[in-house]
Amino acid sequence: MNPSKDTRDHAPGSSKRHGPGRFLTVVATVAAAVVLNLVVYGLGRAAGGDFRFTASGVPAEVDAITVAGFTVLPLLAGMTLVAALVRIWPWVVNAALAVAPALALGTILIMTIPADLDITSKITLASCHVALVPVTVAGLLTLRRRRDERTASHPPAVETGLSESAGHDAG
């Protein structure tokens, strides 16, 4: 029986060591997506896209802040949710690996294509949605890998034999 290992695994400070890893993964994923989408947007502007459309009969324009916001908000919400739930429900990463790309690509059909944008702007904004897929998948796979590494380095008491030896002592 190794009670010192069990105590360390459940010590108040032990989870802090793993929390920042998930947090940094979320931040890095979102930051990478924003930078990539702003580069794509800049290329679209350079190619002549005006990013103007009509919304509810009113002229509107997609600017860099809009691109950044439409990248940050949903991705930050989704990645944070997965990072928070992966310790409780490990399957959440696999679900997110299917849902996130479907949302990123599906929103092209409901947001970008119906808008009365010029063709360069449509292609650019659709490319922003497509660019989210590999970045998001990489972030989710990193969260899964971190979870797997944590599980391997901190097996439950049952797997280490602690509960079995405790049961023999009681019986």
Side-chain angles (χ1 to χ4, degrees):
M1 185 157 91
N2 185 357
S4 63
K5 179 177 179 3
D6 190 47
T7 303
R8 279 191 314 253
D9 288 349
H10 301 292
S14 66
S15 65
K16 289 182 182 177
R17 185 174 47 167
H18 299 287
R22 287 192 315 270
F23 173 76
L24 290 176
T25 298
V26 170
V27 170
T29 301
V30 172
V34 169
V35 168
L36 181 58
N37 275 349
L38 289 176
V39 167
V40 171
Y41 175 78
L43 292 171
R45 281 279 183 194
D50 67 10
F51 296 89
R52 293 189 183 128
F53 64 102
T54 307
S56 302
V58 178
E61 184 175 344
V62 177
D63 58 12
I65 293 172
T66 305
V67 170
F70 273 66
T71 301
V72 169
L73 295 177
L75 188 55
L76 182 62
M79 289 293 295
T80 300
L81 186 64
V82 171
L85 295 177
V86 69
R87 292 182 68 195
I88 301 166
W89 297 308
W91 56 264
V92 78
V93 174
N94 292 337
L97 284 166
V99 171
L103 288 173
L105 299 175
T107 51
I108 296 171
L109 300 173
I110 61 173
M111 293 175 68
T112 307
I113 291 176
D116 60 346
L117 294 156
D118 62 90
I119 192 68
T120 302
S121 299
K122 276 190 189 208
I123 291 170
T124 300
L125 294 175
S127 297
C128 287
H129 288 257
V130 172
L132 287 175
V133 174
V135 174
T136 305
V137 167
L140 291 168
L141 291 174
T142 300
L143 286 174
R144 181 166 67 187
R145 186 174 57 250
R146 287 185 187 281
R147 182 211 65 215
D148 292 346
E149 288 169 357
R150 184 178 191 285
T151 302
S153 66
H154 297 289
V158 173
E159 291 181 11
T160 61
L162 291 176
S163 63
E164 292 176 32
S165 62
H168 292 298
D169 292 340

